[in-house]
Amino acid sequence: MADFTPLEAPAHDAKQLPVPPPIKLIGRDITLARIYAQLKESQAVLVHGPAGIGKSALAATLASAYAERPGGVLYLMCDSDTLSELIVRAGRALRVTEASTTENPLSAEGAVAAVLKATEPLVILDGLLNPEAVTEFIRRCAQKLPVLLLNDQEIAGDWMSIRLGKLEPDQAVTLFKQVAGIDSLDLDAEIGTLASHLNFTQIGRASCRERV
């Protein structure tokens, strides 16, 4: 029988990530360095900000580096997942049979935690997060692991919280030109006006979509 690979198996190549990394992340060097410093110390980080601001692009950039490590990246797109759902999804991805066969997923938290501790992937929870579930998942299964949380709203918890703001106008123009493949300087004024109308948010989302 062919070896079965779970749909949400840890990514070991940037091409396996659910969100493709941008060609170049614009205007986020300081933020990127702050987050990486925390993750390197196996700490949790929350990045929050309005939809389209560039949270997933930032996460994908970090994930592309971690994907080359032995543990890879466990990247879960969330929609208010409960604690049980997070345990089951992580368990399936990590091939923890108990997590997907038991009628009580909470009974599998120890097994999931053991595999996470042994493999040490970068854990990314992206989307609409359930604050209580995320807090408990980290406490029970992902302590002392690099965990990156992405959510529109800030969530109080035992992690560093970073609000991702809009790009500066010149950075937004550079990003727009990168996405559109424009090299000329002649259109910078018009692009700046367009970026202003977009409120510098949808551009961040486009930087991820360009490589889908």
Side-chain angles (χ1 to χ4, degrees):
M1 179 181 293
D3 193 27
F4 172 70
T5 300
L7 179 62
E8 294 178 323
H12 292 279
D13 187 292
K15 295 179 180 178
Q16 298 173 338
L17 296 170
V19 177
I23 296 173
K24 178 177 174 56
L25 195 66
I26 305 295
R28 304 296 190 192
D29 291 351
I30 295 177
T31 302
L32 198 66
R34 289 182 63 197
I35 296 173
Y36 180 72
Q38 288 293 110
L39 297 178
K40 188 177 179 181
E41 297 299 320
S42 297
Q43 300 295 319
V45 180
L46 167 71
V47 178
H48 63 97
I53 201 69
K55 300 185 297 294
S56 294
L58 185 70
T61 298
L62 287 161
S64 64
Y66 271 86
E68 300 176 359
R69 300 187 178 189
V73 180
L74 179 59
Y75 200 128
L76 301 180
M77 302 298 297
C78 300
D79 187 8
S80 298
D81 294 47
T82 64
L83 174 59
S84 292
E85 289 170 334
L86 289 175
I87 290 175
V88 168
R89 292 179 65 192
R92 286 175 177 168
L94 298 167
R95 300 174 182 263
V96 179
T97 304
E98 181 183 350
S100 56
T101 58
T102 180
E103 294 183 1
N104 177 22
L106 296 183
S107 67
E109 66 178 64
V112 172
V115 176
L116 283 172
K117 182 178 180 180
T119 56
E120 297 185 319
L122 168 62
V123 179
I124 299 179
L125 303 181
D126 184 358
L128 183 58
L129 303 185
N130 177 327
E132 182 178 351
V134 167
T135 299
E136 283 300 300
F137 179 76
I138 293 175
R139 184 179 72 82
R140 299 186 187 202
C141 300
Q143 285 198 51
K144 297 182 180 180
L145 288 174
V147 178
L148 182 58
L149 309 174
L150 308 175
N151 196 60
D152 289 358
Q153 304 297 323
E154 185 171 17
I155 301 173
D158 188 20
W159 44 64
M160 172 187 280
S161 181
I162 296 178
R163 182 182 184 280
L164 201 61
K166 301 174 185 177
L167 293 173
E168 294 297 324
D170 60 327
Q171 296 170 340
V173 169
T174 299
L175 178 55
F176 190 99
K177 291 172 67 175
Q178 173 183 291
V179 172
I182 298 173
D183 296 323
S184 173
L185 301 177
D186 297 339
L187 299 175
D188 282 13
E190 290 83 352
I191 293 173
T193 299
L194 178 57
S196 177
H197 286 312
L198 291 174
N199 202 27
F200 308 113
T201 57
Q202 295 302 319
I203 296 175
R205 183 175 295 170
S207 70
C208 291
R209 286 204 306 263
E210 65 169 320
R211 298 185 64 189
V212 176

